[in-house]
Amino acid sequence: MAEPGGGTEKCMFVMRTLGVLVGLMLIGYGTAMLFVGSTQNIRGYIANVYLACFGILIILAEVRMAVLLTYFKFLRNGFGLGGFYIFVGFMALSSDWWCYIVLAICAAVGVTYCGAACMCNDPLNEAEQNNKPPGAVA
């Protein structure tokens, strides 16, 4: 007989792996567009630096770095993390055709996280609740 919660842990592992891959894709995309990007204005360069920084932030959020989650509390639950993925996906949108692929991948992961958060028990909050010491209030 399968142990309870085993499917949730496997699903969360897959989602975290996809999240790290999306973060790496954003870092690569943002860095590559700094050097070979089709935009030659300052706004394009700043947006690409932000994309690379947001890619690093996504990776750190997926490995659940405690220091990061202290300052960026919206990344603690699935709804906040999913909304952040969707925001970053739309931020990557420009006139190039591959930007739509980046948007689709980021939005797919974000919508999946938001869908998991809309269920009765958010898997990210549930994992965080299990790590709290007994008697903790918040």
Side-chain angles (χ1 to χ4, degrees), residues 29-138:
Y29 173 76
T31 307
M33 289 297 111
L34 283 175
F35 300 110
V36 297
S38 59
T39 58
Q40 297 299 325
N41 58 11
I42 192 73
R43 183 203 163 276
Y45 289 120
I46 292 172
N48 290 326
V49 169
Y50 271 116
L51 281 177
C53 291
F54 286 158
I56 293 169
L57 190 65
I58 283 175
I59 291 173
L60 294 176
E62 289 295 348
V63 297
R64 309 308 280 172
M65 183 176 247
V67 174
L68 173 87
L69 295 177
T70 302
Y71 295 107
F72 298 100
K73 292 184 183 197
F74 66 94
L75 296 176
R76 285 184 180 178
N77 62 14
F79 193 71
L81 189 58
F84 185 66
Y85 273 106
I86 294 169
F87 166 74
V88 172
F90 276 105
M91 191 174 159
L93 200 58
S94 69
S95 61
D96 299 322
W97 64 270
W98 60 82
C99 295
Y100 294 104
I101 297 171
V102 173
L103 170 65
I105 293 170
C106 286
V109 174
V111 167
T112 305
Y113 267 123
C114 287
C118 288
M119 294 186 323
C120 293
N121 54 349
D122 183 2
L124 291 178
N125 269 347
E126 184 177 308
E128 189 173 303
Q129 293 292 331
N130 292 337
N131 292 334
K132 287 187 177 180
V137 179

Side-chain angles (χ1 to χ4, degrees), residues 1-38:
M1 179 163 234
E3 63 183 65
T8 304
E9 290 175 13
K10 186 184 241 185
C11 181
M12 287 308 299
F13 176 76
V14 169
M15 287 303 296
R16 291 202 193 282
T17 304
L18 281 174
V20 169
L21 292 175
V22 167
L24 290 172
M25 176 186 66
L26 287 169
I27 293 169
Y29 173 76
T31 307
M33 289 297 111
L34 283 175
F35 300 110
V36 297
S38 59

